Amino acid sequence: MVDSKDYSIQPIKGTEADSKIVLLTIDDAPDQNALEMAKILKKMNAPAVFFVNVHFLSSDESKKVLKNIHEMGFAIGNHTMTHKNLK
Ligand SMILES: [Zn+2]
């Protein structure tokens, strides 16, 4: 779960969570290496979240890549429309 105070990732309370678990996130999908990363992670049976920048979805090919990643079972997240600096 995400701690609402500092946005750190914490084990879910009341579970036998393994302290050595990591959350894999891939930013800037479906940029050039996203599909290759998805194939490697799938082969390694490693779940991950692919965060998408909408400006990378301008071509039919990039939309196909994202659909492919989704169909491989990966979660998809929003990484802004334009990758604007949010500071
Ligand atoms: Zn990014």
Side-chain angles (χ1 to χ4, degrees):
M1 67 175 261
V2 177
D3 187 312
S4 60
K5 290 178 200 133
D6 62 5
Y7 300 101
S8 61
I9 305 295
Q10 301 294 332
I12 297 170
K13 289 185 177 106
T15 64
E16 298 290 321
D18 184 338
S19 63
K20 293 184 179 177
I21 286 178
V22 297
L23 174 63
L24 290 177
T25 66
I26 311 295
D27 284 0
D28 304 334
D31 202 4
Q32 46 191 322
N33 300 314
L35 186 57
E36 187 183 352
M37 286 190 279
K39 287 177 180 173
I40 292 168
L41 290 169
K42 181 79 179 170
K43 199 182 292 181
M44 298 173 74
N45 198 25
V49 183
F50 282 76
F51 283 92
V52 173
N53 299 95
V54 175
H55 71 278
F56 287 138
L57 291 174
S58 55
S59 71
D60 286 346
E61 181 60 30
S62 61
K63 290 173 189 169
K64 222 166 89 179
V65 167
L66 181 60
K67 193 168 190 291
N68 217 326
I69 292 169
H70 171 68
E71 287 171 355
M72 278 189 252
F74 292 101
I76 306 297
N78 182 359
H79 191 48
T80 75
M81 298 289 281
T82 61
H83 207 272
K84 183 180 177 179
N85 187 333
L86 300 177
K87 287 182 184 171

